Structures are given as structure tokens and as C-alpha cells.
Amino acid sequence: MIGAWGALGFWVLATLANVWLAKRFSHNRLVQLFIPALFGVTLLVLWEGIVRGLNVSPVILPPPSMIGARIASSLPMLWTDFNQTILKGALSGYLMGCGAAVAVAVAVDRSPFLQRGLLPVGNFVAALPIVGIAPILVMWFGFDWQSKAAVVVVMVFFPVLVNMVAGLKATDALQRDQMATWSASYWQGLVKLRLPAAMPFLFNGLKIATTLALIGAIVAEFFGSPTRGMGFRISTAVGQLDLPLVWAEIAVAALAGSAFYGLVALIEKGVTFWHPSQRGRA
Amino acid sequence: MKDMSSPPVIEAKGIGLIFQTDDGPVEALKDISLAIGRGEFVSFIGPSGCGKTTFLRAIAALEHPTSGTLTVNGMSPEEARRSRAYGYVFQAAGLYPWRTIAGNVQLPLEIMGFSRAERAERVRKVLDLVDLGGFGKKFPWQLSGGMQQRASIARALAFDADILLMDEPFGALDEIVRDRLNEELLKLWNETGKTIGFVTHSIPEAVYLSTKIVVMSPRPGRIADVIESPLPRERPLDIRDSPEFLEIAHRVREGLRAGHAYD
């Protein structure tokens, strides 16, 4: 019990400290970083104190210190899993799926025939449940990362396609008339006007796709994989009641997902600096 | 600079244009015949729906007349477009927010395949011409509306077309900015000797700028009156208080009334 009361006491003190800091030094850059950091530490302390103080079984919820120790003791394994699932499975699938979606969007935009034919097919594929499609793709492409990349392609393709098709329509009549008065060719109009104008839309799709890619790559490993990978590790660790390892993999996945999203958001900021939603946020 | 002996730059003979809409055909232009000579400044004035913009767009091959013949430099409007006969300034500046002012001005030059060195030289020249010399590196959203519209005029001038078509370019600007831009436009016209077609809602603007005022009336769009202005080419702003100016303005207003423009 003492641990739980101690954690609650720490929480109250840290909150008071944060309130005081926010009032006094709200314009200090360091303090602006320190306040959320202290809040995060508070959550961890609260978690640790309550779990230890109330003797919660590690199978239900291990304390963060135990998860931290597990991460520290299995770094090589976590790296192998990260490499297998995130870098090989998710990232390659993400690049292929998004690239294909952009290419198809340009084709769909050019041809009304494809627009009527391909968009419903894309919609249909996107509506297929991943737990149904993943085992099939594992059969087709084997146990290794290729099948995981295929699942990721299926998952990211449609959201990116829909956003990109909308983006390519985002120019107004005046801008198209301008291009016409300069006798611009289709490709010139595409490269100089419509692709740049579509970027804010495209990046919406790309950001949504980052988390989908991670989910797809991890879940697909549940249906067959070599003896490495985050999804494989989670499913086997659950079987062995090694919950600290499950939490360690979750922590890595959460960090990787945030970093992936952050990276895409950073690229977006550079590419669409001109858009009203990005201006003045330098 | 106006040369009556040379063939007209823009010549329309019995132009008609019918739009097919969901509510049936709409006659946007009816029997428009007009000749515009080299170096003229021609304003098209009339109420909404009189076809002034449609006619300007037809000259630029953005609309296609359904009857009559229209030639630009003796060619069809499409051929004239391909030979870079005109620059077109739209109601809104329509600058690309992801390009700097200089980048926007050189956009048509990129499309037309000018060399990098020539692009830089021309951009510098036309930005100076519209008094935006120091603003090439700014982005459009960092400039005022009047400056943006000046940049769009620079863009239309960049490839040095002989004809400048302007569709209510100053319509969205306040009166003070508009006065100054009118003055600058006249100066630019005097310096370059271009032929200008100018659509406007404003009677003083039309009278102040033009050597020829085409008064149009709606339903169907047709020419109600063509007024050759007796004002000199050099026009200080206060010419607008002179009796000649007021007399022309009066005649424009009469033309609009006769065309039932005020109905």
C-alpha cells in the first residue's frame, strides 16, 4: 500500500510543480519540454507504485521497471524483430503500396473509364477484413517478410488512392484555364500544377497509412512467419505468459509508429509549407 | 502607335456562341462584329451576363464560337495561342502558393521552354516593369492583393506577347489601389505598345483607360455601342474631371441604358 500512496503523493507534487512552472516560465523553451516530460514520468511512477503497492500480478500488468529491464536484457532480439517487421515488412510494403496508389491515382484521374472501374475495386479490396486476407497472402508469398509487405500494400493502398484522386481534382477552373492559355501539355499541367496542388491531400493519406502499415505487418505475422518478428514474438510470448516481453514489443511498436508518423509529418511540413494549415508553424 | 492601315490584330465577324446547359441552350453571344487594331486599348463594359468575358475568352480560345469567324493576327485563336500571341490576366491573380513571385512569373517561360538564363533575365525585367523588383523571393501569400495582381500581370507579360487580355483584373481591389494600378497599366501600355483587351464593370475605369469602349448588353450578349475615345494617350488621373471625360462616361451610360442593362 505504501508504494501506491507514495505514487499518488508524487503525482500531486508533480502536478503542482507543473502548474507552477507553466505559470512562471511558460515562454522558456526548456520548460516547455520539461512539463510534458515530467507528466510522462508521473504516469510511469503512478503505474509503478500502484502495480507494486497493490501486488498486481505481472501477467495482468507488469510494472514499467520490469518492462524496462526486459527491454534492456533483450535488445538484440528486439532489434531483430524491429528489423524483420518494421523495416522489411512495414516500410517496404508502405513504399510499394503508396507508390502504386499514387501511380494508379494519376491513371484514374486521366481516364474516366478507370475511375469507374478501378475505384470500386479498390474500395472492395479495402473492405476485405485483414484477418481474412493475411493468411491467404501468407500462402501466396511465403512466411518471410514478403507476405507481410503484401498485407501492408493491401492496407495502405486504398486510403492513399482516395486521397490522391481527391488531390488531383483540387485545382480550380481558373488555374486550368491559365495552363491552357500557355498551351501547356497534359504532363506539364500535371507536374507544374496538379501534383503540387495534390500534396496536402496526399500527405493526409500517407499519415493515415503509417499506422495501418504497422498494424498490417504485425498482425500478418500471427498467420505464419519465421521465428522472428514483432507479431511472432507477441503471439509466442503470450503463450508463455511472458507478458513483460509482450509489453516490451508493444513499447517498441509504439515508439516506431510515432517516429514513422513524425517523419512523414516532418516531410509534409517541408513539402506543403505553403498550405494555410502549415504556414507560420516553422 | 495606332495604325489604321495595317490589318486588325483581332477581327470578329458575326460571332455567335450558344452554351448547351441543363435548362436548354443559352445564347451567350449574338452577332458580334468588331475589329481591334494594333496598339489599341479596348474595354468591354456591360452588366453581368452580357458576354464580355465570354468574348474575351473566345479570343483566347478558352471558349469556341458556334458561328461566325474570329481571327487573331490573321490566325485562328488556337493557332494564335500556340504562337504565344497573347497573355491573359484573370479576375483572380491565381498565383501558385508553392512558388515564389519570381517562380510564378517564370512558370509560363518554363512551359514554353525558355533557357534558364533567359528566364531569369525576363523575370527581372517584368518584375521591374510592375514595380515588384525587390519581391521576387517572396511567396504570394506574403503580399497584398494589389501586389499579387501586379505579379500576375508580370507573368502575362513575361513571354512578351503582343496582345494582353485582361478579365476584370482589378475588380477585387479597393478603389485607391485600383486607381494606382490603372495609372501603371496606362504607363505600361505606353511603354510597350501592346494591344490590350480589358473587361470591366466600371465606367470610369473603362473611359480612363481605353482608346475604344465596347458597350455590351445582355440576353443575348451583343454590342450596344462602340465609342472611339477622343482622349489623348497621355492621361493624368485628373483627366477624369474634364468635360470630355464626363461626356464619354455619359455616352457609355446611355449605351448601357439603351441595351436595357439596368432592367
Side-chain angles (χ1 to χ4, degrees):
Chain A
M1 279 312 276
I2 293 175
W5 287 114
L8 282 173
F10 181 82
W11 176 42
V12 170
L13 286 177
T15 305
L16 289 175
N18 260 353
V19 170
W20 179 73
L21 279 171
K23 266 192 188 145
R24 290 290 298 272
F25 304 104
S26 58
H27 298 295
N28 186 321
R29 190 88 186 96
L30 265 178
V31 172
Q32 279 175 9
L33 289 175
F34 180 76
I35 289 174
L38 181 60
F39 177 70
V41 169
T42 311
L43 283 184
L44 289 178
V45 168
L46 205 57
W47 176 356
E48 180 87 28
I50 289 175
V51 166
R52 284 197 185 277
L54 301 180
N55 282 322
V56 177
S57 157
V59 174
I60 302 298
L61 188 64
S65 61
M66 197 185 275
I67 299 169
R70 196 73 174 93
I71 291 176
S73 69
S74 38
L75 275 180
M77 186 171 75
L78 289 172
W79 169 252
T80 310
D81 293 347
F82 173 81
N83 187 34
Q84 171 75 13
T85 305
I86 307 286
L87 296 186
K88 285 186 182 162
L91 197 60
S92 63
Y94 180 83
L95 293 177
M96 284 189 283
C98 295
V102 169
V104 171
V106 171
V108 161
D109 176 75
R110 183 134 203 218
S111 146
F113 172 75
L114 289 180
Q115 184 150 9
R116 282 194 294 270
L118 270 183
L119 276 187
V121 173
N123 199 339
F124 178 78
V125 172
L128 295 174
I130 181 185
V131 289
I133 205 99
I136 296 171
L137 290 175
V138 170
M139 292 298 144
W140 287 358
F141 295 101
F143 277 10
D144 210 347
W145 62 271
Q146 289 87 344
S147 59
K148 316 307 174 290
V151 171
V152 172
V153 168
V154 170
M155 284 192 80
V156 302
F157 182 78
F158 191 66
V160 176
L161 175 70
V162 169
N163 274 286
M164 190 63 191
V165 168
L168 287 171
K169 292 190 201 304
T171 54
D172 53 37
L174 183 140
Q175 292 173 313
R176 290 192 297 274
D177 282 348
Q178 274 179 344
M179 276 289 167
T181 63
W182 302 324
S183 297
S185 68
Y186 165 79
W187 290 106
Q188 285 174 327
L190 184 71
V191 171
K192 307 267 185 209
L193 169 62
R194 300 178 58 226
L195 284 181
M199 285 303 135
F201 290 80
L202 174 63
F203 273 97
N204 277 338
L206 291 181
K207 285 193 290 189
I208 296 168
T210 56
T211 44
L212 289 177
L214 252 60
I215 296 170
I218 292 173
V219 171
E221 288 181 359
F222 285 34
F223 301 95
S225 70
T227 55
R228 57 182 181 275
M230 302 173 79
F232 163 80
R233 199 74 64 197
I234 288 173
S235 62
T236 51
V238 166
Q240 298 159 357
L241 285 186
D242 187 358
L243 270 297
L245 181 57
V246 174
W247 281 91
E249 293 283 356
I250 290 175
V252 172
L255 279 178
S258 306
F260 195 4
Y261 184 92
L263 184 69
V264 174
L266 203 67
I267 298 172
E268 177 188 31
K269 204 161 145 180
V271 172
T272 64
F273 66 93
W274 49 272
H275 194 258
S277 68
Q278 299 286 347
R279 281 180 215 160
R281 284 175 48 190
Chain B
M1 222 172 290
K2 188 173 157 187
D3 182 359
M4 296 305 270
S5 62
S6 70
V9 176
I10 298 165
E11 190 167 32
K13 282 184 190 150
I15 293 289
L17 198 153
I18 296 168
F19 287 119
Q20 299 298 337
T21 71
D22 292 340
D23 303 327
V26 170
E27 197 168 17
L29 293 176
K30 184 181 176 164
D31 198 24
I32 305 279
S33 293
L34 187 71
I36 299 175
R38 187 162 305 285
E40 277 196 276
F41 196 129
V42 182
S43 283
F44 300 90
I45 188 166
S48 301
C50 73
K52 54 193 191 299
T53 293
T54 308
F55 183 58
L56 202 72
R57 288 172 62 86
I59 298 172
L62 293 171
E63 307 287 356
H64 304 282
T66 41
S67 59
T69 57
L70 179 60
T71 57
V72 178
N73 287 338
M75 296 176 268
S76 77
E78 284 86 359
E79 287 166 337
R81 169 156 91 194
R82 279 195 291 277
S83 66
R84 298 169 201 164
Y86 60 85
Y88 201 108
V89 180
F90 291 87
Q91 282 175 12
L95 302 168
Y96 295 1
W98 53 86
R99 282 177 171 251
T100 60
I101 293 299
N104 269 288
V105 172
Q106 71 162 342
L107 177 64
L109 303 177
E110 286 174 23
I111 287 170
M112 295 169 184
F114 285 81
S115 74
R116 181 179 292 268
E118 175 142 31
R119 290 203 301 256
E121 172 60 23
R122 281 172 178 259
V123 166
R124 197 190 51 73
K125 221 168 66 189
V126 290
L127 281 182
D128 282 344
L129 206 59
V130 298
D131 277 336
L132 283 177
F135 293 92
K137 289 198 169 67
K138 293 272 187 208
F139 285 94
W141 29 276
Q142 295 168 322
L143 302 187
S144 68
M147 290 166 104
Q148 290 184 26
Q149 197 54 277
R150 288 215 302 262
S152 87
I153 293 171
R155 181 179 53 188
L157 293 170
F159 48 97
D160 213 18
D162 289 334
I163 306 168
L164 196 54
L165 301 173
M166 308 176 89
D167 182 6
E168 293 188 51
F170 310 138
L173 305 175
D174 67 65
E175 187 118 3
I176 299 164
V177 175
R178 182 191 269 234
D179 272 357
R180 209 184 60 241
L181 290 182
N182 279 342
E183 224 179 342
E184 286 175 5
L185 181 61
L186 271 186
K187 195 170 119 236
L188 194 142
W189 171 64
N190 265 322
E191 284 169 7
T192 57
K194 292 190 188 304
T195 310
I196 298 183
F198 190 94
V199 164
T200 180
H201 268 118
S202 156
I203 296 175
E205 190 173 64
V207 178
Y208 177 62
L209 292 172
S210 318
T211 57
K212 181 189 276 183
I213 302 159
V214 179
V215 182
M216 298 183 73
S217 66
R219 283 177 296 275
R222 62 197 185 278
I223 294 178
D225 195 5
V226 177
I227 303 162
E228 297 281 347
S229 172
L231 297 178
R233 272 184 85 95
E234 295 289 339
R235 300 174 183 182
L237 267 179
D238 56 20
I239 203 171
R240 294 184 299 185
D241 301 321
S242 70
E244 294 88 353
F245 187 96
L246 298 176
E247 198 185 304
I248 306 168
H250 178 73
R251 194 173 148 195
V252 172
R253 203 168 285 116
E254 287 299 312
L256 290 171
R257 196 187 316 262
H260 304 287
Y262 294 117
D263 286 356

